[in-house]
C-alpha cells in the first residue's frame, strides 16, 4: 500500500459542492496508476495530469498541491481535468492565498484546503470581487464577449 | 479609439477596489511582503532604489487627450512632475508612495486606464505598431486584434502565475516597427493565398540575458481561432516552461530547448483539443471592437504640398514624419530626446501641450512609440508647419527621429536596483557629442540602445549600436555591441571586445561611426555597412 497523503475533510475551508466531502487520503499519481482501486489522487506541480484522463470515471477527489503560490502549473491541471469532463472534487491545497481563490475557482477548483486558514470575510470578498470575466474558463460564468452579443 | 463599455469599466473599477483591499491587508500584516509583491507587481508597482515605480499600461500605445492630460496630472500629483515613456509603449512614474497608489489607480480608471498586468509573471500590455491605423504600408489596422488579446489576457485565471513575464506584440505590415520578433509571442496579421486575413505566429523571442529571435511557428491562424491558438501557446508554456531557474524561465528557452517544431507540435495538439471547448469569442466581438478603430473623418482633396522654405522646418519634416495612408495627411513624431535630456522623459507641462496639440491637429489621438517618442498619427500636411512651430515653442521640436540622438536608454543605476552602470548620463553624453560636432545628419539612420545591465530593458541587443553596462571590479564599465536590429530584418548585436569606462564608451561609439563613414557605400546605413564589412574593421579601429 502506497503512503497515503493529503488533506483531511476538516482542513477544507471552502467548498462549493453539495456531496459528501471525500474522506480518504490521496495517493501520488504514480501510485494511483499502479493501483486499480484508488479513487483519490494528489497532483504535484511537475506531474502530467493527462495521465489521469483514462481513469476519470473512478476518481472522486483530485488534490492539486501548490507548494508555492507562485507556481501556476496547477491552474492548467485544473482546466485540463475539467475540460476532459472530470466531475469530482477538485481541491486546491498548500500555499493557497486569498488573492488566488478566484482564479482557482475559475479554473475549476471547487474545494480549498489552505495550509494557513484564511480570513473568512477577506476570502468571501475575493470570491465575489469581480462582477464579470473577460474569458471563458472552467466555471459557469459567461465571458463578457458573450454577454455583449446575447 | 477603443472606448470602455460598462463591462470594461466595472472590471477596472473592481481591480482598483481589489488593490486597495490588498494594500490594506498588507498594512494589517495579513499579507507578508513576499505574498504582496506579486500582487503589487501585477498592478505595475515595482520597488526601485529610492521609491516605488508605477507602470501604467497604454494598450498598443494609443492615447487620447483626456488620458494624456490625466497622465500629466498624475505626474504633478503623485510624482515630481515627470513621466517616463517606456520601450513597451507604456509610461512609468519613478517616485510613487505605496499609500497613494490606490488613489492613483482610481484616477487612471476615471479615464479608462489602468496598470493591470504591467509587471509580474503574467501576460503584459499588448504592444503594436505606433503608426497603426495611419501607415501607408499596413494591411489592416492591427489594434482591434491587440484589443481582443488585451481583453482575453486581462485577469486570465490560468495565466496569472506563469514561469516568467510574457509579452505579446501585434503588427500588420511587412515593415516591423514594434520589434515583433523580440516578443514572447509576435503576431503578424497577414493575408493568405485565398485572400483571407489571419495571423502568423512567431513564438519564443525576447531580450534579457539570452536574447533570441522568435521563429515562425504557424504561418496562418484564421481570425476566428486567434484566441484559441494563443491559449494553446500559453498552456504549453505554463505547463512546461522551466521554473527551477528564473533566468531560464522565459518561453524563448522552452522553444529553444524543445526545438520550434516540437513546440509547434505540442501547441497544435493543445489547439486541436481547445477547439472543442468553445473558448473563442464570437467574430461579432472582433467586429464590435473594429468599429472603434474606424478611420476618423479624414477630408479628401487636401493639399499634399509642403512649404519647405524654412530649413529648420524642412529638416524636422524630413526626419520626424511618416507617410500616411490618406492623401493630404501625415504622421508626425514628437521627439522626447532633446540633446542632453533624459530619453523618454516628459514633464507634466509637455504632456499637457502634446495633448492639446493632438486634440487640435490629430483627431484627439496620440501614440507612444517603443523608441520612447510620441506620435501624432493623423496630421493634415497643411497644418504641419503650424504644428511644428508650436512644438518648437514648447521645446518639443527636436528633429532627430531614428538618428544617433534618438537613443533608447533604460533607467539604469540612477533608479534601478539591478543596474551595474548608469545609462542616462551615457545617452546624454553621446547625444551631446554628436550634436555638438554636427555629425548627426551625416550618420543618417543609426539606432543606439543602452541597457544598464544584462536584463536588456534598453534593448541593447537590438541596437545598430548597443551599449551594455557591466560591473568591473566595482566600477561602472560599458561593453560595445554592433549589428543588432529590431526591424523586419531582426538580428542580435555582437560584443566588440573589452569594455570601456564612461568617457571611453563615448569615444568608442565615435570611432565606430568613423569606420562607417570611411567605408560606407552609396545609400548604406551604419547597419548595412557593418553587415557587409563585418566586425574586424571596427575591432581594428577600437582596439588595434
Ligand atoms: C527596477 C528594475 C527594473 C526597471 C526599472 C526596469 C525597467 C524596464 C522598462 C522601463 C521596460 C519597458 C517595460 C514596459 O514598458 O513594459 C523594461 C522591459 C524589459 N525589462 Fe526591465 N526593468 C527592471 C527590471 C528588470 C528585470 C529584473 C528584468 C529581467 C530579469 C528586466 C528585463 C526586461 C526586459 C528583457 C525588457 C524588455 C525586453 C523583453 O521583452 O525581453 N527588467 N524594463
Ligand atoms: S536593463 Fe538592468 S539596469 Fe536597466 S532598467 Fe533593466 S534591470 Fe535596470
Amino acid at each position: 500500500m502506497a503512503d497515503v497523503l493529503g488533506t483531511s475533510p476538516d482542513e477544507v475551508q471552502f467548498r462549493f459542492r453539495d456531496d459528501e466531502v471525500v474522506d480518504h487520503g490521496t495517493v501520488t499519481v504514480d501510485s494511483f496508476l499502479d493501483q486499480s482501486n484508488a479513487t483519490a489522487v494528489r497532483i504535484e506541480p511537475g506531474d502530467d495530469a493527462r495521465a489521469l484522463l483514462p481513469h476519470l470515471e473512478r476518481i472522486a477527489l483530485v488534490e492539486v498541491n501548490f507548494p508555492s503560490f507562485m507556481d501556476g502549473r496547477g491552474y492548467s491541471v485544473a482546466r485540463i481535468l475539467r475540460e476532459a469532463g472530470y466531475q469530482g472534487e477538485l481541491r486546491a491545497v498548500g500555499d493557497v492565498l486569498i488573492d488566488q481563490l478566484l482564479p482557482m475557482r475559475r479554473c475549476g477548483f471547487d474545494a480549498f484546503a489552505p495550509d494557513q486558514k484564511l480570513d473568512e470575510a477577506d476570502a468571501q470578498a475575493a470570491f465575489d470581487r469581480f462582477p464579470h470575466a473577460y474569458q471563458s474558463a472552467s466555471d459557469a460564468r459567461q465571458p463578457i464577449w458573450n454577454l455583449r452579443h446575447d | 479609439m477603443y472606448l470602455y463599455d460598462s463591462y470594461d469599466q466595472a472590471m477596472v473599477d473592481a481591480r482598483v477596489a481589489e488593490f486597495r483591499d490588498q494594500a490594506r491587508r498588507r498594512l494589517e500584516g495579513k499579507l507578508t511582503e513576499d505574498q504582496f509583491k506579486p500582487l503589487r507587481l501585477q498592478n505595475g508597482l515595482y520597488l526601485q532604489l529610492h521609491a516605488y515605480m508605477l507602470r501604467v499600461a497604454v494598450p498598443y500605445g494609443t492615447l487620447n487627450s483626456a488620458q494624456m492630460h490625466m497622465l500629466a496630472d498624475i505626474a504633478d500629483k503623485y510624482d515630481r512632475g515627470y513621466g517616463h515613456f517606456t520601450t513597451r509603449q507604456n509610461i512609468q512614474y519613478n517616485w510613487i508612495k505605496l499609500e497613494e497608489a490606490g488613489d492613483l489607480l482610481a484616477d487612471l480608471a476615471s479615464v479608462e486606464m489602468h496598470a493591470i498586468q504591467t509587471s509580474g509573471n503574467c501576460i503584459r500590455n499588448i504592444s503594436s505598431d505606433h503608426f497603426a491605423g495611419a501607415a501607408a504600408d499596413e494591411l489592416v489596422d492591427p489594434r482591434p486584434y491587440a484589443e481582443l488579446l488585451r481583453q482575453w489576457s486581462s485577469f486570465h485565471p490560468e495565466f496569472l502565475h506563469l514561469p516568467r513575464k510574457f509579452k505579446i506584440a501585434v503588427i500588420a505590415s511587412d515593415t516591423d516597427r514594434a520589434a515583433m520578433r523580440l516578443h514572447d509571442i509576435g503576431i503578424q496579421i497577414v493575408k493568405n493565398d485565398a485572400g483571407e486575413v489571419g495571423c502568423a505566429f512567431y513564438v519564443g523571442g525576447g531580450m534579457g540575458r539570452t536574447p533570441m529571435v522568435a521563429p515562425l511557428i504557424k504561418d496562418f491562424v484564421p481570425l476566428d481561432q486567434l484566441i484559441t491558438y494563443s491559449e494553446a501557446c500559453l498552456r504549453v508554456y505554463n505547463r512546461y516552461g522551466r521554473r527551477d531557474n528564473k533566468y531560464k524561465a522565459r518561453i524563448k528557452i522552452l522553444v529553444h530547448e524543445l526545438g520550434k517544431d516540437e513546440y509547434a507540435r505540442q501547441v497544435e495538439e493543445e489547439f486541436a483539443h481547445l477547439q472543442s471547448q468553445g473558448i473563442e469569442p464570437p467574430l461579432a466581438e472582433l467586429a464590435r471592437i473594429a468599429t472603434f478603430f474606424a478611420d476618423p473623418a479624414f477630408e479628401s482633396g487636401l493639399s499634399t504640398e509642403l512649404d519647405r522654405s524654412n530649413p529648420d522646418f524642412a529638416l524636422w519634416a524630413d526626419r520626424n514624419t511618416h507617410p500616411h495612408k490618406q492623401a493630404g495627411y501625415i504622421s508626425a513624431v514628437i521627439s522626447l530626446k532633446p540633446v542632453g535630456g533624459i530619453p523618454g522623459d516628459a514633464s507634466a507641462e509637455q504632456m499637457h501641450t502634446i495633448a492639446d496639440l493632438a486634440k487640435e491637429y490629430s483627431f484627439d489621438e496620440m501614440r507612444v512609440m517603443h523608441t520612447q517618442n510620441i506620435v501624432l498619427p493623423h496630421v493634415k500636411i497643411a497644418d504641419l508647419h503650424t504644428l511644428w512651430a508650436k512644438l518648437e515653442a514648447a521645446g518639443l521640436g527636436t528633429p532627430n527621429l531614428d538618428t544617433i540622438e534618438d537613443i533608447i536608454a533604460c533607467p539604469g543605476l540612477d533608479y534601478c536596483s539591478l543596474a551595474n552602470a548608469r545609462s542616462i548620463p551615457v545617452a546624454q553624453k553621446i547625444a551631446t557629442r554628436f550634436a555638438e560636432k554636427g555629425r548627426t545628419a551625416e550618420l543618417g539612420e543609426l539606432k543606439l540602445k543602452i541597457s544598464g545591465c544584462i536584463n536588456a530593458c534598453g534593448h541593447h541587443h537590438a541596437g545598430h549600436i548597443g551599449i551594455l553596462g557591466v560591473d568591473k571590479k566595482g566600477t561602472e564599465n560599458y561593453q560595445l555591441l554592433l549589428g543588432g536590429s529590431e526591424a523586419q530584418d531582426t538580428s542580435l548585436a555582437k560584443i566588440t571586445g573589452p569594455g570601456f569606462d564612461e568617457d571611453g564608451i563615448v569615444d568608442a561609439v565615435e570611432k565606430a561611426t568613423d569606420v562607417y563613414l570611411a567605408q560606407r557605400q552609396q545609400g548604406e546605413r551604419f547597419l548595412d555597412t557593418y553587415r557587409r564589412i563585418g566586425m574586424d574593421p571596427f575591432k581594428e579601429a577600437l582596439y588595434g
Side-chain angles (χ1 to χ4, degrees):
Chain A
M1 184 71 199
D3 284 347
V4 168
L5 313 148
T7 50
S8 69
D10 41 302
E11 289 172 82
V12 176
Q13 196 183 352
F14 307 101
R15 195 159 183 277
F16 297 82
R17 303 178 62 89
D18 295 331
D19 55 358
E20 280 291 299
V21 185
V22 179
D23 187 12
H24 28 106
T26 52
V27 297
T28 64
V29 171
D30 282 344
S31 339
F32 176 88
L33 295 174
D34 285 344
Q35 301 172 19
S36 55
N37 57 352
T39 60
V41 56
R42 176 186 179 98
I43 299 187
E44 298 294 336
D47 290 337
D48 187 358
R50 293 231 157 85
L52 299 178
L53 299 190
H55 314 286
L56 293 183
E57 295 276 279
R58 70 170 154 108
I59 306 179
L61 169 66
V62 178
E63 276 186 356
V64 179
N65 187 24
F66 290 85
S68 154
F69 77 98
M70 293 288 286
D71 189 329
R73 284 175 282 190
Y75 296 86
S76 289
V77 165
R79 287 196 67 192
I80 286 166
L81 294 175
R82 289 301 187 208
E83 286 167 4
Y86 174 63
Q87 303 276 334
E89 177 170 337
L90 192 51
R91 191 183 292 173
V93 310
D95 195 15
V96 174
L97 305 172
I98 298 280
D99 296 280
Q100 283 72 47
L101 292 174
L102 179 62
M104 285 177 172
R105 186 86 184 93
R106 295 214 61 220
C107 286
F109 287 101
D110 54 10
F112 301 85
D115 278 346
Q116 307 270 327
K117 274 247 183 301
L118 302 175
D119 182 296
E120 296 279 339
D122 290 342
Q124 204 49 52
F127 280 123
D128 297 340
R129 174 97 52 212
F130 286 89
H132 299 290
Y134 276 115
Q135 56 298 95
S136 303
S138 301
D139 57 355
R141 291 187 189 216
Q142 280 292 321
I144 288 171
W145 51 47
N146 287 0
L147 299 176
R148 282 179 176 139
H149 299 280
D150 249 356
Chain B
M1 60 181 267
Y2 187 73
L3 296 176
Y4 283 7
D5 65 2
S6 57
Y7 293 112
D8 296 310
Q9 191 65 51
M11 292 300 281
V12 169
D13 291 344
R15 178 62 156 203
V16 175
E18 180 187 53
F19 177 77
R20 288 190 195 279
D21 188 52
Q22 290 164 345
R24 171 189 64 83
R25 281 182 279 130
R26 172 76 189 107
L27 290 172
E28 289 173 1
K30 286 179 173 172
L31 282 171
T32 65
E33 179 54 22
D34 282 348
Q35 293 169 341
F36 181 58
K37 185 178 171 190
L39 306 176
R40 64 167 165 76
L41 285 177
Q42 298 213 359
N43 286 290
L45 265 177
Y46 222 120
L47 188 57
Q48 293 204 66
L49 270 183
H50 316 289
Y52 281 98
M53 170 199 100
L54 191 133
R55 183 180 293 154
V56 176
V58 181
Y60 32 91
T62 298
L63 286 169
N64 63 25
S65 62
Q67 293 173 328
M68 187 65 111
H69 282 305
M70 178 56 84
L71 294 177
D73 290 341
I74 285 173
D76 272 335
K77 195 165 154 192
Y78 302 101
D79 197 277
R80 300 183 175 176
Y82 282 88
H84 180 77
F85 290 95
T86 78
T87 47
R88 288 203 73 251
Q89 301 180 288
N90 295 322
I91 181 170
Q92 56 194 47
Y93 298 99
N94 283 319
W95 300 96
I96 299 303
K97 297 189 187 69
L98 185 56
E99 311 82 87
E100 294 182 351
D103 293 338
L104 195 166
L105 296 179
D107 285 351
L108 283 175
S110 73
V111 292
E112 304 184 4
M113 294 188 81
H114 60 74
I116 299 164
Q117 292 169 217
T118 53
S119 192
N121 295 338
C122 52
I123 305 175
R124 307 283 190 91
N125 184 37
I126 315 287
S127 58
S128 186
D129 186 335
H130 43 252
F131 292 131
D137 62 6
E138 78 183 4
L139 178 67
V140 291
D141 188 335
R143 291 174 301 165
Y145 311 99
E147 173 59 26
L148 191 72
L149 288 160
R150 181 191 76 84
Q151 296 187 16
W152 161 74
S153 58
S154 295
F155 318 108
H156 196 301
E158 188 177 344
F159 305 132
L160 292 172
H161 298 283
L162 295 169
R164 201 72 181 81
K165 62 182 169 184
F166 204 92
K167 304 179 184 187
I168 303 179
V170 188
I171 65 172
S173 64
D174 288 334
T175 305
D176 181 1
R177 290 174 283 260
M180 182 270 285
R181 293 186 66 190
L182 293 168
H183 281 74
D184 298 280
I185 293 184
I187 295 174
Q188 183 178 353
I189 311 294
V190 293
K191 232 177 211 166
N192 67 7
D193 294 341
E196 298 152 342
V197 174
C199 310
F201 269 70
Y202 295 82
V203 182
M207 286 181 257
R209 61 186 65 210
T210 324
M212 293 199 188
V213 178
L216 180 68
I217 69 143
K218 193 166 175 83
D219 58 2
F220 194 82
V221 176
L223 290 181
D224 59 359
Q225 296 169 4
L226 165 61
I227 295 302
T228 308
Y229 194 79
S230 302
E231 187 128 341
C233 290
L234 262 298
R235 182 173 289 176
V236 172
Y237 171 54
N238 191 41
R239 299 187 67 208
Y240 301 114
R242 286 180 61 174
R243 292 178 190 261
D244 58 325
N245 177 341
K246 79 172 192 172
Y247 301 119
K248 295 188 190 294
R250 295 276 299 266
I251 195 174
K252 61 192 174 186
I253 304 293
L254 177 69
V255 173
H256 183 76
E257 286 182 353
L258 286 177
K260 77 173 168 59
D261 295 331
E262 173 58 16
Y263 173 75
R265 190 195 62 73
Q266 294 191 19
V267 171
E268 208 56 45
E269 205 176 280
E270 193 65 51
F271 180 48
H273 158 71
L274 283 172
Q275 279 181 296
S276 69
Q277 294 295 318
I279 61 169
E280 191 70 30
L283 270 179
E285 177 60 6
L286 197 51
R288 183 192 75 92
I289 292 172
T291 59
F292 291 102
F293 296 96
D295 284 344
F298 292 130
E299 293 169 40
S300 53
L302 291 177
S303 158
T304 56
E305 281 303 306
L306 201 61
D307 175 2
R308 304 177 57 90
S309 53
N310 178 334
D312 289 340
F313 169 63
L315 177 69
W316 179 82
D318 288 341
R319 287 233 184 103
N320 286 38
T321 62
H322 190 262
H324 201 282
K325 63 182 183 183
Q326 178 76 17
Y329 288 84
I330 198 160
S331 299
V333 176
I334 301 170
S335 168
L336 296 181
K337 314 289 175 68
V339 174
I342 298 177
D345 266 24
S347 67
E349 201 184 330
Q350 288 174 326
M351 288 188 248
H352 284 306
T353 303
I354 293 170
D356 289 338
L357 293 173
K359 181 141 196 153
E360 196 167 350
Y361 297 108
S362 183
F363 294 95
D364 204 26
E365 231 190 84
M366 284 148 283
R367 309 293 174 72
V368 183
M369 300 171 77
H370 84 268
T371 55
Q372 307 180 281
N373 297 306
I374 305 289
V375 181
L376 301 186
H378 313 297
V379 179
K380 271 186 205 163
I381 292 176
D383 288 338
L384 199 60
H385 186 275
T386 319
L387 170 67
W388 168 76
K390 291 185 178 181
L391 287 171
E392 272 287 285
L396 289 166
T398 316
N400 59 5
L401 182 69
D402 290 341
T403 68
I404 194 162
E405 296 170 21
D406 185 9
I407 297 171
I408 291 182
C410 78
L413 196 52
D414 291 299
Y415 294 100
C416 176
S417 48
L418 304 163
N420 289 322
R422 287 165 301 158
S423 308
I424 294 167
V426 173
Q428 291 168 323
K429 283 189 178 173
I430 292 172
T432 305
R433 165 86 58 101
F434 284 87
E436 278 175 357
K437 291 196 171 178
R439 298 273 295 279
T440 303
E442 197 183 359
L443 292 171
E445 181 186 307
L446 208 174
K447 302 194 179 184
L448 195 147
K449 304 180 199 284
I450 308 175
S451 305
C453 80
I454 192 81
N455 289 323
C457 303
H459 294 192
H460 65 275
H461 302 293
H464 298 180
I465 297 179
I467 295 175
L468 166 63
V470 291
D471 177 83
K472 196 176 169 194
K473 301 195 188 96
T475 60
E476 297 168 62
N477 195 264
Y478 299 89
Q479 290 182 335
L480 186 69
L481 296 89
L482 301 175
S485 168
E486 58 193 2
Q488 55 283 2
D489 57 353
T490 313
S491 58
L492 299 171
K494 291 199 172 66
I495 295 174
T496 55
F500 306 89
D501 66 13
E502 188 174 315
D503 290 319
I505 190 70
V506 183
D507 295 335
V509 168
E510 188 168 352
K511 281 183 192 155
T513 62
D514 287 339
V515 173
Y516 158 65
L517 290 176
Q519 303 251 15
R520 74 171 160 193
Q521 295 178 353
Q522 191 64 33
E524 272 183 348
R525 303 167 301 161
F526 179 93
L527 181 64
D528 304 321
T529 303
Y530 169 83
R531 285 178 175 165
R532 180 172 53 79
I533 67 177
M535 182 66 96
D536 288 346
F538 292 94
K539 273 193 167 161
E540 180 65 23
L542 289 165
Y543 307 105

